[in-house]
Amino acid sequence: MSKLQSIKGMKDILPAEVGAWQRSESVMRRVVEAYGYREIRFPLIEKTELFARSIGEQTDIVGKEMYTFSDRDGDSITLRPEGTAGCVRAGIQHGLFHNQQQRLYYVGPMFRHERPQRGRHRQFHQIGAEAVGWEGPDIDAEMISLVSRFWRELGVGGIELQLNSLGDQEARRRYRRELVDFLSQYESHLDKDSQSRLKTNPLRILDSKDERTREIIAKAPDILDSLGSQSRVHFETLQEYLSAAGVEYRVNSRLVRGLDYYSRTVFEWTSNRLGAQGTVCAGGRYDGLVQDLGGKATPAIGFALGFERLVELMSAQEHEKPADVYLVLLGTAAKRTGLVVGETLRDAGLTVIGHCGESGIKSQMKRADKSNARVAILIGEDELQTGTYVVKPMRSDRKQTTVPEERLLETIRDVIGGGAGEIDNP
Ligand code: ATP
Ligand code: MG
């Protein structure tokens, strides 16, 4: 029979990589919570209409990337391609935005039917946050500071922040017309994608990677010149706040975001260590979305960060957590004792791997070595008779010792050092 394989673009995350995933997730949860964000969990599937209405019919996501199905009732449902739509839908539905301000965050998988390649998968994972109910640049600055803290606390360097403003809906419409007028003069010189975007989503052309298109874009009108006075003040104040907070950034007036709902502030953090998919985190302000989805007009801003790209920037091995103890158990009576001792040590906060299966001391010691545990504890006939344990350091030249039960824990702690048995919380 042929072997079953995972679906194209869907990646297994194997135990050797999981340490980096867990560590980054726990650090980022701690950081967002340190700014007062609270977690919200919403479904992986929603009515297709939600995404069509919020992200926009003309976007890549809705136009060609969504996993859309009819369910058994004939309703059109879609696996969530991003988190903002579901988060806002849930907030409106449960009255969270009714005369209230909310700092919310979410973590989990997203689905987009894109061409799989490095840094681009069909199931990928994001942490995202949304601040709903604030209109000023102070919350923008706070959110950007928060993401900057991610990089510091995760020890990820070489990341650049790019910043732009798209203005309000009206300025955007104005700019869109100007841009279409300008680009139409060069229509036949644009790449194929950009030619069709000229009619559907012209702002996205600014994002084109095609060289000839880029030369044309270089002469296109600047979106920052079309900002209204309020948007201009918003953007300038944001920059003042960021400078005061010591956050480095570069204004890039060609930065646009693929989703329709953005207005005013948009931002992206990129790394040149990720190949073609250099953006690791992105977001912006979406002051019209809550109303578009049926709520009261409410300003909001959010970001989303991709775990796959982040983890690529962290070296996997450093984050693997070896066990503290491997129990080498020789014979049935030793197994019985091992089960009890294992529980006692776990009560004390240690991670303990008990040997399972019938094998001799040599092969058990080999397993202990391979497990990377820091200490092996041997229990055999002699130890059972004398009520003692052999404690063998595995990662140093220190000699093994034989100790009675009441000295077992302190001996282990002595070998593995101070941090042992504490919750890993770097
Ligand atoms: P890209 O420019 O890579 O297409 P995007 O603008 O479509 O990204 P967003 O919707 O802003 O991406 O998502 C935020 C983050 O989620 C991205 O910066 C990236 O880190 C991650 N991301 C988006 N799509 C994918 C994917 N298909 N595979 C892996 N990560 C992704
Ligand atoms: Mg994309």
Side-chain angles (χ1 to χ4, degrees):
M1 257 204 307
S2 63
K3 264 193 229 152
L4 281 173
Q5 302 277 322
S6 63
I7 296 170
K8 185 175 169 194
M10 309 277 175
K11 192 172 160 276
D12 300 308
I13 301 159
L14 300 178
E17 302 165 76
V18 155
W21 284 76
Q22 288 180 337
R23 191 173 100 78
S24 55
E25 181 175 331
S26 79
V27 168
M28 292 191 291
R29 280 180 182 274
R30 186 161 45 71
V31 170
V32 292
E33 285 173 12
Y35 287 78
Y37 285 77
R38 294 184 303 156
E39 185 176 7
I40 180 167
R41 301 186 182 194
F42 41 87
L44 297 188
I45 46 182
E46 297 273 359
K47 289 182 183 158
T48 302
E49 182 195 351
L50 171 67
F51 302 114
R53 263 171 63 184
S54 59
I55 299 170
E57 300 277 2
Q58 303 304 340
T59 59
D60 284 353
I61 294 182
V62 175
K64 51 190 184 192
E65 296 174 358
M66 292 205 304
Y67 279 90
T68 298
F69 309 92
S70 290
D71 71 5
R72 288 174 188 277
D73 303 320
D75 296 325
S76 179
I77 58 171
T78 295
L79 288 174
R80 64 183 190 191
E82 54 103 57
T84 302
C87 182
V88 169
R89 194 267 313 135
I92 295 171
Q93 183 171 338
H94 300 286
L96 301 188
F97 308 143
H98 193 74
N99 299 327
Q100 294 176 73
Q101 296 167 314
Q102 295 284 349
R103 289 180 175 89
L104 303 171
Y105 81 94
Y106 57 84
V107 181
M110 307 293 161
F111 304 85
R112 295 184 197 173
H113 196 277
E114 302 191 75
R115 190 167 70 79
Q117 51 192 299
R118 181 177 172 200
R120 199 177 285 297
H121 309 280
R122 290 180 172 180
Q123 174 175 327
F124 61 99
H125 301 78
Q126 290 182 334
I127 181 170
E130 319 289 349
V132 183
W134 292 270
E135 63 182 348
D138 46 358
I139 192 87
D140 304 19
E142 183 191 90
M143 181 170 273
I144 290 170
S145 301
L146 180 165
V147 175
S148 306
R149 181 173 285 276
F150 282 168
W151 317 132
R152 281 202 305 283
E153 302 219 358
L154 290 168
V156 173
I159 293 201
E160 187 191 51
L161 165 61
Q162 295 180 33
L163 204 60
N164 195 19
S165 177
L166 304 179
D168 59 16
Q169 294 294 337
E170 204 201 302
R172 238 180 105 164
R173 263 198 296 277
R174 216 170 33 234
Y175 177 71
R176 190 185 146 119
R177 267 198 306 275
E178 264 181 65
L179 185 67
V180 170
D181 285 347
F182 172 82
L183 290 173
S184 298
Q185 309 168 65
Y186 305 95
E187 183 165 356
S188 58
H189 301 286
L190 297 173
D191 60 279
K192 278 269 158 327
D193 265 356
S194 297
Q195 284 181 6
S196 65
R197 281 180 174 149
L198 201 51
K199 290 172 196 74
T200 57
N201 198 353
L203 258 64
R204 267 307 249 193
I205 299 176
L206 298 177
D207 219 16
S208 170
K209 304 282 180 285
D210 181 82
E211 217 166 292
R212 238 168 120 200
T213 303
R214 296 198 65 81
E215 280 170 26
I216 298 167
I217 290 166
K219 290 173 278 174
D222 198 309
I223 196 164
L224 291 175
D225 293 334
S226 68
L227 298 188
S229 64
Q230 281 184 351
S231 294
R232 191 180 308 277
V233 171
H234 185 108
F235 194 44
E236 279 164 7
T237 312
L238 168 61
Q239 292 179 62
E240 266 169 45
Y241 287 159
L242 290 178
S243 302
V247 176
E248 285 179 33
Y249 62 89
R250 179 166 71 84
V251 173
N252 173 5
S253 61
R254 301 295 185 227
L255 176 70
V256 286
R257 307 276 311 122
L259 286 52
D260 269 0
Y261 53 56
Y262 287 109
S263 53
R264 292 203 173 150
T265 313
V266 290
F267 42 78
E268 277 192 17
W269 284 265
T270 56
S271 163
N272 53 19
R273 288 192 286 142
L274 290 170
Q277 273 62 247
T279 304
V280 58
C281 182
R285 188 163 267 290
Y286 51 93
D287 292 339
L289 184 62
V290 176
Q291 188 170 32
D292 286 350
L293 291 181
K296 245 178 47 187
T298 310
I301 182 168
F303 73 82
L305 176 152
F307 274 91
E308 282 75 5
R309 296 181 196 176
L310 171 66
V311 166
E312 209 186 313
L313 293 172
M314 302 168 60
S315 93
Q317 263 175 0
E318 282 166 41
H319 308 289
E320 262 198 87
K321 277 183 267 167
D324 297 311
V325 175
Y326 194 98
L327 296 175
V328 173
L329 306 169
L330 303 161
T332 310
K335 279 179 185 288
R336 203 158 48 227
T337 305
L339 284 172
V340 178
V341 171
E343 291 307 320
T344 311
L345 297 178
R346 291 184 195 105
D347 284 345
L350 298 174
T351 46
V352 182
I353 302 174
H355 186 89
C356 289
E358 307 302 323
S359 34
I361 183 162
K362 250 195 167 153
S363 99
Q364 290 201 33
M365 284 309 296
K366 247 192 214 153
R367 290 292 180 85
D369 191 38
K370 254 185 115 172
S371 79
N372 282 332
R374 296 192 276 181
V375 177
I377 293 175
L378 285 71
I379 310 177
E381 283 291 315
D382 291 353
E383 290 73 32
L384 288 171
Q385 295 227 318
T386 54
T388 57
Y389 301 87
V390 175
V391 178
K392 184 175 164 50
M394 299 296 287
R395 317 284 282 275
S396 71
D397 298 334
R398 285 169 68 166
K399 284 220 170 57
Q400 67 179 50
T401 49
T402 303
V403 298
E405 169 131 31
E406 57 278 12
R407 285 194 37 227
L408 181 60
L409 192 57
E410 63 170 275
T411 311
I412 297 171
R413 287 229 163 101
D414 178 47
V415 173
I416 62 189
E422 283 165 22
I423 308 294
D424 187 20
N425 199 359

